[in-house]
Structure formats: structure tokens, C-alpha cells
Amino acid sequence: MPAAIPGLDSTPLTPPTTATATGSSALGKDAFMKLLMAQLANQDPTAPTDDTAFVSQLAQFAGLEAAQATNTRLDTLVSAQAASTQTQAVGFIGKMVNFRTDSIALEAGLSATAQVGLTAPATGVSVSVLDSTGKAVRTMKLGAQVPGALNIIWDGNDDGGNRQPPGVYSLSVNATDSTGKGIGVSLQGNGEITGVDFDNGVPKLKVNGTLVTMSQVTSINERNTP
């Protein structure tokens, strides 16, 4: 066995290991500037970076920094606007709202209300309440009506006087003039705002057991007190 050489460690060498590279695919402004400075420091002295290319890279850097600052400000603005909208929506609780819908919600033991808007005088107005299958469970003939808003009150019974289960029903309106020609109608629901639901940050008003989006709202008023 050969003698050990003085001054040398005879411990066997450990084979090198393969390290996993870490990093980010996103190029921030700091990394961009470091990359640009490294490019300048290591350029070929006999073929330096073209002035036009250098100016173009600086412009890209300035544009990147401006875009990041704009995104930060926009995120702040959006957050502030969302918080303001949510606060305003909560302030509507307890008020009365009118909203566009062809549905009518029936709650246990209560009547259901809606409004029909008539664009012209009608010699006959008929309102049908349809269940989830599209079957008419109640038809109300309201006779001649003047233009404007017409209040609809459904007691919750079908044509045979049988109480219908709570739920959301649809309305179908037929209005005709003196010549028998159909006239334009619009349907609206109304009720008290009892709460606010936030769906992905978008407020929806709770009215008569259903959710109403702000785009459906036509008016919000104080509740009438005796």
C-alpha cells in the first residue's frame, strides 16, 4: 500500500450533485436593468452596442416601469371602487325597490306583487302566472286599463282556489287596444330590500326571497311608514 503524501487529505471526494435551478419567468424592472448593465459591461470593444438599439432598450425599460406603476394604481382604484360599491349596496337594506323582471316570488302565507307597464290605453289586460314547467296556474283578467303602471297582486292560489307552493313563478301579460291589436308592456317586480349578497364582489339585492342585480333596478325609495 503506498504511503500517504504529507499535507494531503486522503478522504475520498464526494461526487458532485445536480442542483435544481430556481427562478422566475417574470422579468421585473430590477432584473431588466441588471441584464442591460451586464450587456454593456461585456460587449465587444471592437463592435460596441449600436446607439439605436441601446436607446430602444432604455425605452423598453421606461415603458415597463410605467406599466407596472399603472397596474398598481389601477389595482388600488378597483379595490377602492369595489369597497365603495359594497358600502352603498348595504345602505339600501330596508328600502323599497322596483326592478325589471318577468318573475314573481311567492312566499309562504303571503301574496305576491308585481307591476305591468302599459304604453297605451288597453281595453283588455290578462295576466297569467306560470309555474316552473310553463303551465298557467292562475289567469287574472283585469279589464280596461289606462297607460302607466298597473299593480298586480296574486294571492298565491290557482284558478281552483288551491294554495300554490312557495317559489319563483313567471308572468305572461296580454294587453290589447280597441282594435284588438297588442300593445307594448313591461314587467317589474317590487319589494323591500332585506339583504345584500356579494357574488364575486358584485352586489345583488335580496328581495322577496330572490336576488336582484343592480342592472335590473329601476328605482329605490324609502319605505313608507304609517
Side-chain angles (χ1 to χ4, degrees):
M1 179 177 180
I5 300 175
L8 293 181
D9 187 357
S10 60
T11 302
L13 297 177
T14 302
T17 58
T18 302
T20 302
T22 59
S24 172
S25 60
L27 183 63
K29 63 180 182 179
D30 293 336
F32 185 93
M33 180 58 75
K34 289 179 180 178
L35 182 62
L36 182 60
M37 296 304 295
Q39 176 184 342
L40 292 176
N42 295 279
Q43 63 182 329
D44 185 355
T46 62
T49 302
D50 181 70
D51 291 344
T52 302
F54 181 66
V55 172
S56 175
Q57 290 174 333
L58 286 178
Q60 292 177 27
F61 170 72
L64 174 63
E65 187 173 22
Q68 289 179 335
T70 299
N71 288 340
T72 300
R73 294 189 185 97
L74 285 176
D75 289 342
T76 302
L77 180 61
V78 169
S79 298
Q81 181 63 36
S84 176
T85 300
Q86 292 177 354
T87 301
Q88 292 176 358
V90 171
F92 294 146
I93 295 176
K95 297 187 177 184
M96 303 300 294
V97 62
N98 294 324
F99 54 95
R100 289 184 295 271
T101 183
D102 61 355
S103 300
I104 187 169
L106 180 65
E107 297 184 80
L110 300 176
S111 297
T113 61
Q115 279 188 340
V116 175
L118 302 176
T119 59
T123 57
V125 177
S126 176
V127 179
S128 295
V129 180
L130 313 178
D131 63 15
S132 59
T133 66
K135 176 185 175 182
V137 296
R138 179 70 178 274
T139 299
M140 296 173 283
K141 297 187 180 298
L142 306 179
Q145 300 291 335
V146 298
L150 173 62
N151 290 322
I152 305 297
I153 300 177
W154 177 39
D155 59 9
N157 296 332
D158 63 10
D159 287 329
N162 302 305
R163 179 71 185 186
Q164 298 301 293
V168 178
Y169 295 78
S170 299
L171 293 178
S172 177
V173 180
N174 181 38
T176 56
D177 60 16
S178 58
T179 65
K181 182 180 178 180
I183 62 175
V185 298
S186 61
L187 286 169
Q188 284 194 340
N190 54 68
E192 181 182 356
I193 302 171
T194 57
V196 179
D197 183 77
F198 295 100
D199 184 6
N200 292 325
V202 178
K204 294 183 178 180
L205 308 178
K206 295 181 180 180
V207 184
N208 299 333
T210 62
L211 294 178
V212 177
T213 63
M214 297 302 294
S215 61
Q216 293 176 260
V217 173
T218 58
S219 66
I220 297 178
N221 306 289
E222 295 289 345
R223 181 180 177 85
N224 294 328
T225 55

